[in-house]
């Protein structure tokens, strides 16, 4: 069994340094919230597997090549002969504002189904990491996420759900209707403050959402606060961790890095403060470097940015 299993769609991301409408050079990168987390864990020395469908062409080969190069296990990946790669354009409009445009409807990745995840789930993992992006891709991907969450939680795998709302994929109402029931299988729920009511009633505040999740069996709720760090809620109470101060050059992927750091701490058996410290440390590496995951630390590098307090 692997330490971490995750599945979803990995995209070919084409990044422009300036306004897309002006054209110019694009650079090709691997993107995808779930594969970002898998890479984060693999860099830290954990056994991480990513499952999904890739196109049967150079772009699918690129996705697999990048993941393999990062040490992520891809034996469960299916190559789809009939569907194209999912693409995204990432436009850096100003230093602080990036815009995303997807070309992923009908993609290989969006055709993910229960059949794709059955074997990897049966093989087992210590942690199953799901994000709210996967169930937004298609009906079959939604079924796969729900089936896997249920099967994994039944077999004692820790199920982590990162809400990761993407407004370009679905409405808040649709996300809420799908993600709220998924939390029944999750031990760990991760959300930014503005995503919390996507696993509860519209407009519900943090304490209400947290109380309800903890009652439903979730053990830890992590609320990501960006430059203000994060809060962790458990039945024992709430902890706050400050962010590691760095010069932010690219915040895309920071949430995935935070999740990877927290899960790495869990796999290492760290206590809550240690897990949170690792989460904000890995998150800081992500925002301090360009790209979704390129700047993520290897284990020996963690100490470069670690060394702050929780309270
Ligand atoms: O978390 C970063 C992701 O948003 C990015 O890698 C692309 O998975 C992606 C998505 O669907 O937006």
């Amino acid at each position: 069994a692997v330490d971490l299993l995750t599945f979803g769609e990995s995209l070919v991301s084409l990044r422009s340094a300036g306004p897309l409408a002006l054209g110019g050079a694009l650079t090709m990168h691997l993107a995808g919230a779930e594969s970002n987390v898998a890479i984060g864990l693999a860099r830290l020395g954990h056994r991480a597997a990513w499952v999904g469908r890739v196109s049967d062409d150079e772009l699918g080969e690129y996705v697999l090549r990048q993941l393999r190069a990062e040490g992520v296990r891809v034996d469960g990946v299916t190559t789809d002969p009939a569907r194209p790669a999912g693409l995204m354009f990432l436009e850096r409009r100003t230093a602080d504002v990036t815009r995303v445009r997807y070309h992923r409807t009908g993609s290989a990745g969006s055709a993910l189904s229960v059949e794709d995840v059955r074997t990897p789930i049966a093989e087992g993992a210590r942690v199953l990491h799901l994000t709210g992006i996967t169930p937004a891709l298609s009906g079959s991907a939604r079924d796969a996420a729900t089936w896997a969450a249920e099967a994994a939680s039944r077999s004692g795998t820790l199920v982590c759900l990162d809400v990761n709302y993407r407004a370009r994929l679905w409405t808040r109402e649709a996300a809420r209707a799908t993600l709220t029931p998924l939390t029944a299988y999750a031990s760990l729920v991760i959300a930014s403050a503005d995503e919390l009511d996507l696993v509860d009633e519209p407009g519900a505040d943090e304490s209400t959402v947290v109380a309800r999740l903890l009652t439903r069996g979730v053990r830890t709720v992590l609320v990501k606060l960006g430059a203000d760090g994060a809060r962790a809620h458990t039945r024992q109470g709430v902890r706050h961790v400050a962010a590691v101060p760095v010069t932010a050059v690219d915040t895309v992927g920071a949430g995935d890095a935070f999740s990877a750091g927290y899960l790495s701490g869990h796999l290492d058996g760290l206590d809550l403060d240690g897990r949170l410290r690792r989460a904000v440390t890995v998150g800081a590496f992500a925002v301090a470097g360009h790209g979704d995951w390129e700047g993520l630390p290897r284990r020996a590098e963690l100490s470069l940015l670690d060394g702050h307090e929780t309270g």
Side-chain angles (χ1 to χ4, degrees):
V2 292
D3 295 321
L4 175 107
L5 170 65
T6 187
F7 59 84
E9 180 170 30
S10 291
L11 301 157
V12 173
S13 165
L14 299 169
R15 288 183 165 233
S16 76
L20 257 185
L22 299 189
L26 298 171
T27 55
M28 184 165 162
H29 302 265
L30 172 72
E34 302 78 19
S35 48
N36 291 344
V37 172
I39 291 171
L41 283 150
R43 286 243 177 134
L44 292 170
H46 304 283
R47 288 166 304 169
W50 177 83
V51 168
R53 299 178 74 87
V54 299
S55 56
D56 187 12
D57 59 9
E58 298 78 7
L59 299 178
E61 198 181 320
Y62 169 78
V63 167
L64 288 180
R65 187 181 169 91
Q66 292 293 82
L67 290 170
R68 279 197 201 100
E70 290 299 328
V72 174
R73 288 153 201 241
V74 291
D75 353 310
V77 172
T78 301
T79 299
D80 188 322
R83 295 183 185 82
L87 303 181
M88 72 181 247
F89 289 88
L90 193 76
E91 170 186 31
R92 186 162 285 272
R93 191 61 191 80
T94 72
D96 300 321
V97 178
T98 51
R99 285 198 295 210
V100 170
R101 208 158 275 290
Y102 295 127
H103 286 252
R104 68 197 299 185
T105 307
S107 65
S110 67
L112 186 88
S113 75
V114 172
E115 288 318 308
D116 295 310
V117 298
R118 218 182 271 284
T119 304
I121 289 285
E123 286 171 356
R126 289 175 65 194
V127 174
L128 173 68
H129 179 69
L130 296 173
T131 84
I133 297 174
T134 306
L137 298 178
S138 66
S140 68
R142 187 174 61 232
D143 292 347
T146 303
W147 180 86
E150 207 246 316
S153 75
R154 222 178 325 107
S155 66
T157 294
L158 181 136
V159 177
C160 170
L161 174 67
D162 182 349
V163 172
N164 243 338
Y165 176 64
R166 294 290 179 269
R168 289 199 184 273
L169 294 178
W170 55 354
T171 63
R172 293 185 74 86
E173 292 67 35
R176 184 176 295 112
T178 294
L179 299 179
T180 305
L182 260 187
T183 61
Y185 308 114
S187 294
L188 173 61
V189 171
I190 304 177
S192 52
D194 62 349
E195 291 173 336
L196 275 172
D197 79 339
L198 297 178
V199 288
D200 204 298
E201 305 289 326
D205 64 11
E206 183 167 327
S207 56
T208 307
V209 176
V210 166
R212 248 193 300 248
L213 288 173
L214 295 178
T215 311
R216 254 182 251 154
V218 174
R219 302 182 70 102
T220 310
V221 182
L222 300 180
V223 184
K224 295 177 288 184
L225 305 169
D228 293 326
R231 269 192 293 276
H233 298 269
T234 65
R235 283 186 203 130
Q236 280 67 51
V238 56
R239 306 283 293 161
H240 175 260
V241 59
V244 177
V246 288
T247 303
V249 303
D250 178 0
T251 57
V252 180
D256 304 329
F258 176 91
S259 300
Y262 186 90
L263 293 173
S264 166
H266 167 81
L267 290 164
D268 282 352
L270 302 185
D271 65 9
L272 182 60
D273 284 348
R275 300 195 292 267
L276 291 172
R277 216 157 35 235
R278 182 151 319 157
V280 292
T281 302
V282 179
F285 275 96
V287 302
H290 291 283
D292 279 25
W293 52 266
E294 285 85 337
L296 296 182
R298 299 186 193 288
R299 191 165 281 259
E301 294 174 319
L302 282 172
S303 59
L304 293 174
L305 292 183
D306 200 1
H308 60 284
E309 305 293 313
T310 51

